[in-house]
Amino acid sequence: MKIQVLTDVLKVNQTVAQENQREFDKSRTLVLNVMSSPGAGKTLIIEKTLEKLGQELKFAAIEGDVATANDAERLAKYDIPVVQITTESFGGACHLDANMVREAASKLDLSSVDVLFIENIGNLICPAEYELGEHKRVIVLSVTEGEDKPTKYPVAFRNANVLLVNKVDLVDHLDLNMELLLQNSRKVNSNLDILQVSAKSGNGLDGWLDWIRKEVQLRKKKSGA
Amino acid sequence: MHEMAVAESIVQIIQEKLGGLNPQAQVTKVNLKIGKLTCVEPEALRLSFQVMAKETRLEEAALCIDSVPVKAQCKDCHKHFGLTELDFACPFCESFRIEILAGRELQIESFEIE
């Protein structure tokens, strides 16, 4: 006997993600899902953002890692609420899912938070499939990873809203064709906002800070504030 | 390797559907549709499914995976085409403004019981 199902395998995750987003909208919090390969500079970019915008906006963060609380400790220095998710207890999962985020978010008081960063696990494959309830997806790609990452990991780049090309202070030391990197990114996702930054030197960060300011304003408007 | 999580969801969804059926029935086959533009590797999924289905009524089930090619439409010249190289450009007018119509599926179509 054949039984029709016609159900999306990730439907449960999507349903929880939508519930998460409704909660985030209640508190008018902009939620950013930050993805990259390991070591591209996600945490440093978040740190610099807290340093520069900490007086202007209220932040919170959910940190996803397979093991250790190193990144949460780095962010806690900025005196913001941080919840660490270590997926070791979920079988070392290579991505965050909507349930993990729901549990972590329940430990945060988002009522006065303008921006919640969700730092996903360093991986450009699995996280791309899992919506968490975020409003925007941010991809960090460091110049040392080469020009072809967007075309090698099209799902991640296709579903992103903004790309931060990080570590541009190293470009002079590399055989990197920046034009090709940008072209590959636009090819995979013609709607992508692309910003070249160096979290270390601070170069280009103003564009990123303006992007956040603009998105926070949009979010407040949409929520009727 | 999120195939393990995907396999777990497949087993869960089918176990729920089995609730109202003959409790002796064993699942013999699961029919899946998986788009080429998902991050699921069929062989890794088969292996994960074997692990997740152990000691359930899906233990003996075969996974039948229908791979869905990527289809798109150009937003500029409106022509339809298939994407094989995943280069995300319209083969007719070379525009990058394309809409993906198929290839993102990760769906359980049906299952068979005996």
Side-chain angles (χ1 to χ4, degrees), chain A residues 36-126:
Chain A
S36 79
S37 321
K42 293 185 294 298
T43 313
L44 190 59
I45 285 180
I46 296 174
E47 286 185 86
K48 293 287 173 167
T49 309
L50 300 176
E51 202 177 295
K52 307 250 181 200
L53 287 182
Q55 301 293 323
E56 200 177 314
L57 297 168
K58 285 225 161 68
F59 290 90
I62 294 173
E63 280 294 309
D65 282 293
V66 174
T68 81
N70 296 354
D71 288 355
E73 283 160 17
R74 279 170 65 180
L75 297 189
K77 285 184 200 142
Y78 296 87
D79 204 22
I80 63 159
V82 185
V83 179
Q84 174 80 48
I85 301 174
T86 43
T87 61
E88 255 180 336
S89 48
F90 300 93
C94 44
H95 59 278
L96 296 181
D97 68 28
N99 259 321
M100 299 176 201
V101 167
R102 174 160 66 183
E103 198 186 317
S106 71
K107 294 175 190 158
L108 291 168
D109 174 13
L110 292 177
S111 59
S112 61
V113 171
D114 301 302
V115 183
L116 170 65
F117 281 114
I118 303 175
E119 185 176 339
N120 219 313
I121 292 169
N123 175 348
L124 282 177
I125 305 176
C126 316

Side-chain angles (χ1 to χ4, degrees), chain A residues 1 3 5-7 9 129, chain B residues 39 98 106 108-111 113:
Chain A
M1 186 167 72
I3 293 136
V5 181
L6 300 176
T7 300
V9 176
E129 296 280 12
Chain B
C39 302
I98 62 169
L106 188 52
I108 307 174
E109 287 292 296
S110 61
F111 63 92
I113 53 171

Side-chain angles (χ1 to χ4, degrees), chain B residues 52-94:
Chain B
M52 297 312 301
K54 270 224 162 74
E55 291 164 24
T56 74
R57 289 156 75 188
L58 287 88
E59 189 162 14
E60 300 295 321
L63 276 194
C64 179
I65 299 174
D66 178 13
S67 179
V68 185
V70 182
K71 285 189 187 146
Q73 184 179 16
C74 178
K75 287 183 183 172
D76 289 317
C77 74
H78 305 291
K79 287 197 173 112
H80 287 247
F81 48 90
L83 281 180
T84 47
E85 295 291 313
L86 293 186
D87 63 357
F88 297 101
C90 171
F92 300 101
C93 73
E94 293 177 4

Side-chain angles (χ1 to χ4, degrees), chain A residues 4-11, chain B residues 6 10 13-14 30-35 38 40 45 63-66 68 104-110:
Chain A
Q4 293 290 328
V5 181
L6 300 176
T7 300
D8 198 301
V9 176
L10 299 179
K11 195 176 153 215
Chain B
V6 170
I10 293 171
I13 290 167
I14 293 180
V30 177
N31 296 305
L32 301 173
K33 256 193 182 164
I34 300 184
T38 59
V40 174
L45 182 61
L63 276 194
C64 179
I65 299 174
D66 178 13
V68 185
R104 293 281 294 138
E105 298 79 357
L106 188 52
Q107 199 177 52
I108 307 174
E109 287 292 296
S110 61

Side-chain angles (χ1 to χ4, degrees), chain A residues 157-172:
Chain A
F157 283 83
R158 192 133 181 108
N159 295 322
N161 302 99
V162 61
L163 167 65
L164 301 178
V165 181
N166 192 25
K167 307 190 188 176
V168 290
D169 51 304
L170 295 178
V171 163
D172 292 345

Side-chain angles (χ1 to χ4, degrees), chain B residues 4-46:
Chain B
M4 204 56 114
V6 170
E8 188 179 18
S9 299
I10 293 171
V11 172
Q12 269 172 7
I13 290 167
I14 293 180
Q15 278 183 320
E16 276 170 31
K17 301 274 174 190
L18 281 170
L21 300 165
N22 173 2
Q24 301 301 318
Q26 294 292 317
V27 179
T28 54
K29 196 172 169 191
V30 177
N31 296 305
L32 301 173
K33 256 193 182 164
I34 300 184
K36 287 273 190 201
L37 198 49
T38 59
C39 302
V40 174
E41 167 54 39
E43 287 319 306
L45 182 61
R46 282 181 211 282

